[in-house]
Amino acid sequence: MSLIQLEKIRRRVSICTKCDLCKSRTNAVPGKGYHKSELMFIGEAPGRSEDKQGEPFVGIAGKKLSIALEYAGISRDKVYITNVVKCRPPKNRIPKESEKKACEHYLKTEISLIKPKIICVMGNTAYHSLLGGSNITKNHGKIVKKNGNLYFVTIHPAATIYNQSLLQTLKKDMKTLVKTLNGIKG
Ligand code: URA
Ligand code: SF4
């Protein structure tokens, strides 16, 4: 059931014109992954590679994410990966409040259909949008309960591109995430 509804969301996203980001995009980028995943990962917005291919986290940041997931024994096809906004902002600027608001319905629907056990917010944009948080450097690794959902806070994979120590941070956080998930499952 959720698979069919997710497919509907994908199609709506791919033709969406609810905000101005539709004017500059090549492709909208719907979420991707397993429709019954226990883990959902939320980034900021598509970058250049994602805009070209229409898939989330397929560029360099995606490569870093894959490395961290693999380190923690998480298989990419067993999770669901998406973004706060589904179209690339020009020059990768941070999405505006109005754009996030226009796109919010899709993300909320993805969460309610997949019902992940833990939602991993990656970076300040996702952290702020979903939890009203700031200062990811200080708050990464935290677990937050909100409106019946469980969230795990981590840094954005793009931050690790030229920073080996942040890649270590991301990798360690992914291990903590797995431990937390296993803890919930008992
Ligand atoms: N950065 C993001 O936030 N999302 C992507 O899909 C790729 C890079
Ligand atoms: Fe629609 Fe979201 Fe793309 Fe804006 S960013 S056009 S709301 S899919």
Side-chain angles (χ1 to χ4, degrees):
M1 193 58 191
S2 67
L3 184 57
I4 297 167
Q5 283 169 305
L6 261 186
E7 193 47 44
K8 266 189 202 162
I9 291 293
R10 287 185 67 77
R11 268 184 260 140
R12 284 207 201 131
V13 165
S14 67
I15 55 167
C16 179
T17 54
K18 284 203 286 181
C19 83
D20 278 351
L21 293 182
C22 73
K23 296 180 185 162
S24 49
R25 75 180 178 218
T26 313
N27 291 294
V29 180
K32 189 172 184 230
Y34 181 42
H35 65 289
K36 289 183 190 166
S37 181
E38 296 179 331
L39 294 176
M40 178 161 167
F41 293 83
I42 307 178
E44 176 175 295
R48 185 192 292 276
S49 312
E50 291 76 22
D51 175 71
K52 263 194 198 156
Q53 297 180 47
E55 289 191 17
F57 284 97
V58 290
I60 307 173
K63 179 88 193 148
K64 298 294 175 186
L65 176 60
S66 295
I67 290 170
L69 292 179
E70 196 179 326
Y71 175 78
I74 305 169
S75 145
R76 245 185 102 142
D77 22 286
K78 293 224 173 75
V79 300
Y80 188 88
I81 302 174
T82 192
N83 283 298
V84 171
V85 300
K86 316 302 194 207
C87 300
R88 183 193 184 204
K91 298 183 187 156
N92 296 348
R93 65 158 170 75
I94 295 170
K96 297 175 185 169
E97 284 304 319
S98 59
E99 293 158 353
K100 294 198 285 184
K101 193 92 201 129
C103 211
E104 170 182 79
H105 169 74
Y106 299 124
L107 184 57
K108 284 193 172 163
T109 310
E110 288 173 297
I111 294 172
S112 68
L113 291 174
I114 294 164
K115 299 187 191 73
K117 289 197 163 65
I118 307 179
I119 299 166
C120 178
V121 295
M122 304 185 291
N124 273 315
T125 294
Y127 184 34
H128 186 259
S129 302
L130 286 124
L131 300 170
S134 58
N135 198 346
I136 206 83
T137 317
K138 189 170 143 233
N139 291 313
H140 77 89
K142 282 190 181 166
I143 294 155
V144 181
K145 271 188 195 166
K146 195 186 167 190
N147 300 333
N149 287 319
L150 201 60
Y151 293 86
F152 181 81
V153 180
T154 194
I155 58 171
H156 194 287
T160 74
I161 294 173
Y162 300 109
N163 190 325
Q164 209 50 33
S165 91
L166 282 181
L167 182 58
Q168 285 308 117
T169 304
L170 184 63
K171 285 160 93 175
K172 277 190 205 149
D173 277 359
M174 291 304 103
K175 280 219 165 160
T176 308
L177 174 61
V178 170
K179 273 193 198 142
T180 310
L181 177 66
N182 290 337
I184 297 171
K185 296 203 284 187

